[in-house]
Amino acid sequence: GVGGDTHYTVIGDSVNLASRLTDAAKRGEIFISAAVERAVSRLVTAEDRGEISVKGIAEPVRVYSVLDIRDHNAELDARPFVGRQMELRQFGSALEACVEAGTGQVIHLRGEAGIGKSRLIEEFRRLAVARGFAAHKAQVLDFGAGKGQDAVRILVRSLLRISPGDSEEAQAAVIEQALAGGLIGQEHAIHLSDLLDLPKSPEQKRLYDAMDNATRNRGKRETVVSMVRSLGARQPLMLIVEDLHWADEMVLYYLAELARKAEDRHLLIALTSRVEGDPIGPAWRGSISGTPLMTMDLGPLGKQDAMALAGQYLDATGQFAMSCIERAAGNPLFLDQLLRSAEEAGDSQVPGTVQSVIQARLDNLAPAHKVAAQAASVLGKRFARAALQHLIDSPNYTGNELVEHHLVAWQGDDLVFTHALVQEGIYESLLKGRRRDLHRRAANWFAATDLALRAGHLERAGDSRAPLAYLDAAQSQIAAYRFERARQLTEQGLDLASDPADIYRLTCALGEISRELGAADRSLDYYNRALANAADDTQKSRAQLGLAEAMRIVDRVDEALALLDQAQPVAERAGLTDVLVPLHHLRGNLLFPKGDIKGCESEHRRSFDYARAANSDEGEARGLGGLGDAAYAAGRMKTAHDELVRCVDICRQSGMGRVEVANSAQISHTKLYLLQLREAIDNGKASIEAARRVGHVRA
């Protein structure tokens, strides 16, 4: 208010009270009512001015004068923790055992949505930090997890104190510091680079290409464990992973590996999950035997605790508060939302469900902010402000109004909904047509930066492009050697596909991915399905080649050769060089164990010639490797040596580590026959070391 030379501010919990308090305010003062002071007590320093009589209000009113604004980054509305005393005592015992005995433990909080798992785990974190622990937290998202935002990568970045905005150069420097400080070994550097989504050097690419999938995955898990154990030796650690009911197998593998290594370290691993979909079953528990695991099943808040929670908003003994407490039935989130709704709207009606109370809170927002909240819900539980600005076509939108209404909060540079049920409730308020339109806009936003999110939004938009969008996302993961993730994405696309052309492409991709993952039988199933959906002989020939590749692995040699005989004339008529190169190479490999060395050499020669005509370095290298093997089997050691050396040279130039390791080992044998004994020993030692690093046992 402004009157004469007087400038004052009054904030009350009702329009009537605010207007009455203006009579008591003086120049430069900020007065707030008792209810407002309770709501913002963590954000301001306020002086209790006692009770004053206010015209038009029967009872005296307690007012506060705001003296200072505290750290603006403090969590909005961080009310005191109430209840859960038994769980706090249990956690306190685990905390002391970890500190005093140096033994780790897994603590599993389980409960229905909205029962207070996140709030309790935050209180656990606060107690651990006060006891000297370093706490690191990640969350599994059901939708909206962007590139590099899976739970494991978030934990890794937190452990290394890497901020979301740090450049690739800064992150590479962190790896060097981790090496210099003994946090990881030299063998872990390449895996840490992958976990941080950093580009690889040519040498690293060759090395990663040479590894099989199991070796890459094992290396990444060992890297994370090494970091945690090293840090845990310096300072007690608490690792928190929330919403495990949405976790995939890879996250569970990492957590099991960490839990197994926790028994002799100052390490607490705290997990939360809903009861439905809880993945911490007998198999996972058995896999961490030796490390204590404590499960806490959270039930509803008792009446006294619910009243204490309600008392942070209003008089808990009043009829409206008691109605809210009764309606919430001990669910803290429901009670919290009911009371916030009452605070915002001054409404004395008690909605019947969480959905209805969230809808009521949404309706209390100004139209522009309601639109923004609904658009944000389309992006998932966590989202970038720039993405929201794109969806609502408002480049200057800050999101502060949504933060002030406790619908979202800042998490680093991103915004996150205060609870998954809040996001879900707002999302359900959208009309289907508007929802689909927003998902399409989101898909366009992510098209250049995150193919997996693009595919997910196209799926939710009901867009026919979604199946092949998932295939595009999967191929980007294959290029990064993340075959499990590629399989998940391709399977998602296949689940949506109805067009035979889409089914053909997706099943062919799954056949190849399954072969890479060592699942030959599944590869056969997918290629057979692709064959059934092939539109013409050309597509059939590609599927037959895939089937033959899988048959070779399971020693169905004659069947594989018969399939190649069917596919070859079709590929020749259509000029399918990309089929003919691997077809002749595969036939050469199939003829080798049958003792047909002449036929083997002829097939590899044809594969090499096709590859050279197509400028395929990989085809040339594989062809030369096959020619070297054939010459070796025929006793022509000089020829074998020269072909293998040419093969390895191409591999080193082109970064084909897998082909290089296999053929480099064979060079040592040819050198023996050429009496190049010192070179044979040196090459053999180097080949053994390279094969050891990439897990190539046969080499």
Side-chain angles (χ1 to χ4, degrees), residues 36-48:
V36 174
E37 191 279 333
R38 286 196 299 270
V40 299
S41 60
R42 299 294 183 91
L43 300 176
V44 302
T45 302
E47 179 184 10
D48 185 351

Side-chain angles (χ1 to χ4, degrees), residues 271-283:
L271 312 172
T272 74
S273 72
R274 295 180 184 175
V275 176
E276 185 179 357
D278 175 25
I280 306 299

Side-chain angles (χ1 to χ4, degrees), residues 167-185:
S167 66
E168 290 180 353
E169 292 76 11
Q171 294 182 61
V174 169
I175 295 179
E176 293 302 319
Q177 291 167 9
L179 285 167
L183 200 60
I184 58 171

Side-chain angles (χ1 to χ4, degrees), residues 177-252:
Q177 291 167 9
L179 285 167
L183 200 60
I184 58 171
Q186 187 64 49
E187 70 276 14
H188 298 135
I190 188 172
H191 300 295
L192 186 52
S193 178
D194 187 12
L195 288 163
L196 295 176
D197 294 305
L198 295 176
K200 296 177 180 64
S201 67
E203 173 60 28
Q204 287 179 322
K205 285 182 180 178
R206 277 176 47 218
L207 191 60
Y208 231 48
D209 180 76
M211 295 179 189
D212 62 13
N213 192 65
T215 301
R216 283 189 289 264
N217 287 338
R218 185 170 58 251
K220 283 185 280 192
R221 289 197 299 271
E222 289 174 353
T223 300
V224 175
V225 169
S226 175
M227 286 172 51
V228 169
R229 286 179 64 83
S230 296
L231 289 169
R234 304 172 188 181
Q235 180 183 10
L237 288 180
M238 183 178 184
L239 305 182
I240 300 169
V241 180
E242 291 196 78
D243 294 334
L244 215 59
H245 46 275
W246 286 318
D248 60 22
E249 289 183 0
M250 293 303 292
V251 171
L252 296 173

Side-chain angles (χ1 to χ4, degrees), residues 605-647:
R605 177 61 62 189
R606 295 185 72 181
S607 175
F608 174 81
D609 290 341
Y610 274 122
R612 172 161 282 189
N615 293 316
S616 169
D617 288 343
E618 182 177 0
E620 283 192 52
R622 290 185 182 277
L624 288 167
L627 288 169
D629 286 343
Y632 182 90
R636 303 197 311 275
M637 297 304 163
K638 178 68 168 63
T639 300
H641 176 271
D642 292 345
E643 303 284 35
L644 292 170
V645 168
R646 288 172 64 198
C647 166

